[in-house]
Amino acid sequence: MARPRILLTRKWPSACESRLAGDYEASLNADDRPMGAEELRTAMAEYDAVLCTVTDRLDAAAFEGATARIVGNFGVGVDHIDLEAARAAGVTVVNTPGVLTDATAELAMTLILMAARRAGEGERELRAGHWPGWHPTHLLGRGLSGRTLGIVGMGRIGRATAERARAFGMEILWWNRSDTEAPGTRVETLADLFERSDVVSLHVPGSGETSGLVDLDLMEALGPEGILVNTARGSVIDETALVEALRRGTIAGAGLDVYAREPEVPEALRGLDNVVLLPHLGSATLETREAMGMMVADALDAFFGGDTPDNRV
């Protein structure tokens, strides 16, 4: 019996690729070159499974005439996949929740610390040869102990971020669309959360409901000493409003790992000193990325073995 034909749209950790190549007729992307829309549509019509990433947009057209029976998403967010079109075409979609929780929460804390302590500004100054030496008022930042962290979205990553922030002595407020058990104090509205927080960290999925969720009004509520951190999806923040807020001092700073039109980062953002910019590193530890790939492989094994895979979206 012929082995299922699978395509990896990007290069994956070698341990994952070795496993998949051993179990399936696998086409790998050795050059790690992003695939275009037409290539993705062709792949959906030629393979039994397409293993995509957050950089691959599988729109409705990709599912027209698709022979692929399953899409394995290397990541949690699936806003780049037209799920309604997938269901209509009878294509199963799976993702990788849970395994990237700790890594993403760690990166959220990295951004909080970097923005609060102005670490990015300091490194740029030093590397450029402009450090004048130690003096009492140089790059004064803000400590975290006794400050309030507001968390938008209290899922796995939100909870993990809260636990880490509490170890730094931060008080926790949180807002979630539904009630849940979580550390800290729940608030009823986003406006209240932003007004009462010193730092706000975003942990909601990217979707039509959350697009532009954080606007200028919420940033004004956060205030001129506030810090905004995003490790969720770039679309959650109105980037134009964010640039204005950072320029005018409406908020003190921001830490971003995601952007609305990745890999494009607005020049206006890149030119600001009071924002930390990272290239989507949320899950970027070897352990996490290997675990993500193995989770997709487990889902394929279950699916092609006639079972219902875990983490079906």
Side-chain angles (χ1 to χ4, degrees):
M1 184 176 179
R3 297 191 299 174
R5 299 179 67 234
I6 70 171
L7 170 74
L8 280 68
T9 64
R10 299 296 296 266
K11 187 172 180 59
W12 286 22
S14 58
C16 304
E17 291 188 342
S18 295
R19 172 180 169 181
L20 290 165
D23 295 338
Y24 300 96
E25 185 179 338
S27 293
L28 307 179
N29 188 342
D31 296 331
D32 202 23
R33 180 183 61 82
M35 298 179 67
E38 190 58 39
E39 291 175 291
L40 290 169
R41 291 173 191 142
T42 299
M44 289 292 295
E46 292 184 351
Y47 289 86
D48 299 303
V50 172
L51 310 188
C52 67
T53 74
V54 297
T55 65
D56 304 308
R57 184 157 296 280
L58 295 177
D59 57 14
F63 293 95
E64 294 176 2
T67 60
R69 297 157 55 197
I70 182 170
V71 168
N73 184 55
F74 192 94
V76 177
V78 290
D79 51 309
H80 56 292
I81 301 172
D82 190 323
L83 296 179
E84 185 175 340
R87 281 190 290 269
V91 178
T92 295
V93 178
V94 295
N95 66 346
T96 62
V99 293
L100 47 69
T101 297
D102 287 338
T104 307
E106 289 169 3
L107 198 81
M109 287 306 305
T110 299
L111 287 169
I112 291 169
L113 286 162
M114 289 185 71
R117 296 300 302 272
R118 302 176 65 182
E121 294 176 67
E123 189 194 29
R124 288 191 295 274
E125 178 183 84
L126 188 148
R127 285 182 179 275
H130 297 155
W131 182 36
W134 187 92
H135 56 96
T137 58
H138 181 232
L139 286 178
L140 297 181
R142 294 166 175 80
L144 298 185
S145 181
R147 302 280 180 175
T148 298
L149 173 64
I151 294 180
V152 180
M154 205 53 149
R156 293 185 183 95
I157 299 171
R159 288 187 180 91
T161 302
E163 291 169 1
R164 286 157 175 77
R166 291 176 82 178
F168 281 88
M170 300 190 81
E171 301 294 327
I172 306 298
L173 300 178
W174 55 273
W175 175 90
N176 202 59
R177 285 178 291 183
S178 58
D179 199 8
T180 185
E181 292 294 325
T185 301
R186 184 185 185 192
V187 298
E188 294 299 322
T189 68
L190 279 174
D192 191 26
L193 180 86
F194 274 72
E195 186 173 346
R196 295 170 59 185
S197 298
D198 300 298
V199 181
V200 170
S201 188
L202 307 179
H203 301 284
V204 291
S207 67
E209 292 181 0
T210 61
S211 180
L213 180 69
V214 180
D215 57 15
L216 189 58
D217 287 342
L218 287 178
M219 295 178 217
E220 288 175 345
L222 182 57
E225 294 188 358
I227 291 171
L228 179 62
V229 167
N230 190 12
T231 56
R233 282 290 183 267
S235 60
V236 176
I237 296 178
D238 180 336
E239 285 186 348
T240 301
L242 176 60
V243 169
E244 181 180 350
L246 290 167
R247 279 178 173 166
R248 294 184 177 182
T250 304
I251 62 175
L256 308 176
D257 187 46
V258 288
Y259 310 91
R261 290 172 292 278
E262 295 181 14
E264 177 189 341
V265 178
E267 184 178 354
L269 269 179
R270 289 186 279 117
L272 294 170
D273 275 334
N274 56 343
V275 58
V276 179
L277 305 173
L278 296 182
H280 207 144
L281 298 179
S283 63
T285 68
L286 178 60
E287 300 88 347
T288 299
R289 294 283 170 86
E290 285 187 349
M292 291 165 68
M294 295 303 182
M295 183 175 282
V296 174
D298 289 343
L300 287 191
D301 291 349
F303 181 84
F304 288 116
D307 297 324
T308 300
D310 292 334
N311 306 318
R312 183 172 180 172
V313 178

